[in-house]
């Protein structure tokens, strides 16, 4: 596994893999045996868990070369957010990357990523003013800007993102399409603990009691799944679905709801409260952001025309 900290080294390492392949043998021009060498990219902010591991596994399955980036991106954190305390463990992250068969790890410093004050921002409109975008102004501008920069550095064919950040997936898909970026976004399922809690680097902040009560998120989404799978109950309206989720979450005294939203996916348009689940023709996402103490957790479930794609 190659570990690089500078953009020039990263570009060189990827160019060599594209030219010589994994075994270092130079591709012969025009050879029928040679198919294009694909680069799969997993961008992360580190403190890797099994959710990240599942992205690396998918990348390993689909691409010839797997590139992982670990960079806690300051421009996607608000002034009162957890940038300074965001958990970091480089040695452990490198072990996970090695275990998952990553080829190249990119570990830039802030100065390497932002050598001069950034005057160019990538901003996806509309999709970013709701859900997490409403409570974290500027967050998605930071995400799209850094991901666009990373795409320019890595030049991936495929890029892997977890559906736990479903809005991030929708926003990045929009950016890639709008800007004709030559990369395919591969959304990957949410990975959960055995008791249902969606994996997140921020779960380490939870006390034992908060951790226990945070299970109301996945429990409420499990109820959504049951309702959406049940043909008879598909007469459920969006309002009833909302109330069911809200009742489950407020059963936890420690839960402080930031939002419960039921929207179309990936266009993230609101649905009418009296609309019946069965009448909605697009995919639906039920998305949650709930604080336990200072820790803000997100989770979601996507319903695709009655069929639930993601596992709760
Ligand atoms: O999902 C994340 O970890 C981050 O938002 C990303 C995509 C690595 C950009 O910093």
């Amino acid at each position: 596994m190659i570990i690089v900290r500078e953009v020039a080294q990263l570009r060189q390492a990827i160019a060599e893999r594209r030219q010589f392949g994994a075994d270092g043998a130079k591709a012969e021009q025009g050879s029928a045996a040679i198919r294009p060498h694909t680069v799969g990219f997993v961008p992360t902010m580190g403190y890797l868990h099994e959710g990240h591991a599942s992205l690396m596994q998918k990348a390993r399955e689909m691409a010839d070369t797997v590139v992982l980036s670990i960079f806690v991106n300051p421009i996607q954190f608000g002034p009162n957010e957890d940038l300074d305390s965001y958990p970091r463990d480089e040695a452990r992250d490198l072990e996970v990357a090695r275990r998952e068969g990553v080829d190249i790890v990119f570990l830039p410093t802030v100065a390497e990523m932002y050598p001069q004050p950034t005057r160019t921002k990538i901003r996806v409109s509309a999709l970013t003013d709701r859900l997490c975008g409403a409570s974290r102004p500027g967050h998605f501008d930071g995400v799209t800007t850094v991901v666009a920069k990373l795409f320019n550095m890595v030049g991936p064919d495929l890029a892997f993102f977890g559906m736990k950040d479903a809005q991030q997936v929708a926003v990045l898909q929009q950016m890639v399409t709008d800007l004709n970026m030559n990369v395919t976004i591969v959304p990957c399922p949410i990975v959960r603990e055995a008791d249902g809690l969606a994996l997140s680097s921020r779960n380490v902040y939870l006390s034992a009691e908060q951790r226990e009560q945070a299970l109301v998120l996945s429990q409420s989404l499990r109820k959504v799944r049951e309702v959406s799978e049940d043909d008879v109950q598909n007469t459920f309206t969006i309002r009833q679905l909302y109330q069911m989720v809200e009742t489950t979450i407020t059963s936890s005294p420690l839960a402080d709801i930031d939002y419960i939203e039921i929207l179309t996916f990936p266009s993230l348009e609101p649905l009418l409260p009296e609309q019946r689940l069965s009448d909605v023709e697009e995919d639906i996402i039920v998305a949650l952001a709930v604080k336990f103490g200072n820790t803000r957790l997100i989770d979601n479930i996507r319903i695709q025309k009655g069929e639930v794609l993601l596992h709760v």
Side-chain angles (χ1 to χ4, degrees), residues 73 75 114 118-125 128 138-152 171-172 174-179 181:
N73 174 36
I75 69 164
Y114 301 108
T118 306
R119 301 205 198 285
T120 309
K121 285 257 166 82
I122 304 282
R123 173 151 206 283
V124 172
S125 62
T128 55
H139 165 70
F140 283 109
D141 297 355
V143 171
T144 43
T145 301
V146 81
V147 171
K149 280 166 74 73
L150 288 165
F151 282 178
N152 282 335
V171 167
L172 291 174
Q174 180 83 35
M175 172 184 86
V176 161
T177 308
D178 286 349
L179 297 181
M181 290 179 168

Side-chain angles (χ1 to χ4, degrees), residues 2-7 9-11 13 104-108:
I2 300 171
I3 300 165
V4 292
R5 295 180 193 272
E6 289 169 18
V7 179
Q9 297 168 329
L10 172 72
R11 288 202 165 117
I104 300 169
V105 183
F106 179 45
L107 271 164

Side-chain angles (χ1 to χ4, degrees), residues 49-62:
H49 50 64
E50 288 308 306
H52 297 112
S54 75
L55 304 180
M56 294 177 233
Q57 286 154 17
K58 192 75 193 160
R60 188 67 287 163
E61 212 180 289
M62 294 179 69

Side-chain angles (χ1 to χ4, degrees), residues 15-41:
E16 280 171 13
R17 294 279 303 200
R18 281 203 187 271
Q19 194 180 0
F20 299 109
D23 57 7
K26 193 169 189 325
E28 274 179 45
Q29 285 239 316
S31 159
I34 305 293
R35 62 177 176 83
H37 186 95
T38 52
V39 173
F41 179 39

Side-chain angles (χ1 to χ4, degrees), residues 43-45 71 73 76 143 146-147 161 165 168 172:
T44 76
M45 298 207 300
F71 178 62
N73 174 36
Q76 70 186 73
V143 171
V146 81
V147 171
F161 294 90
D165 295 304
Q168 176 168 276
L172 291 174

Side-chain angles (χ1 to χ4, degrees), residues 285-306:
I285 187 165
V286 180
L288 317 172
V290 180
K291 280 180 91 176
F292 292 86
N294 291 326
T295 309
R296 185 173 172 281
L297 301 180
I298 56 171
D299 204 344
N300 70 77
I301 190 167
R302 178 175 158 194
I303 305 165
Q304 190 180 43
K305 294 178 184 167

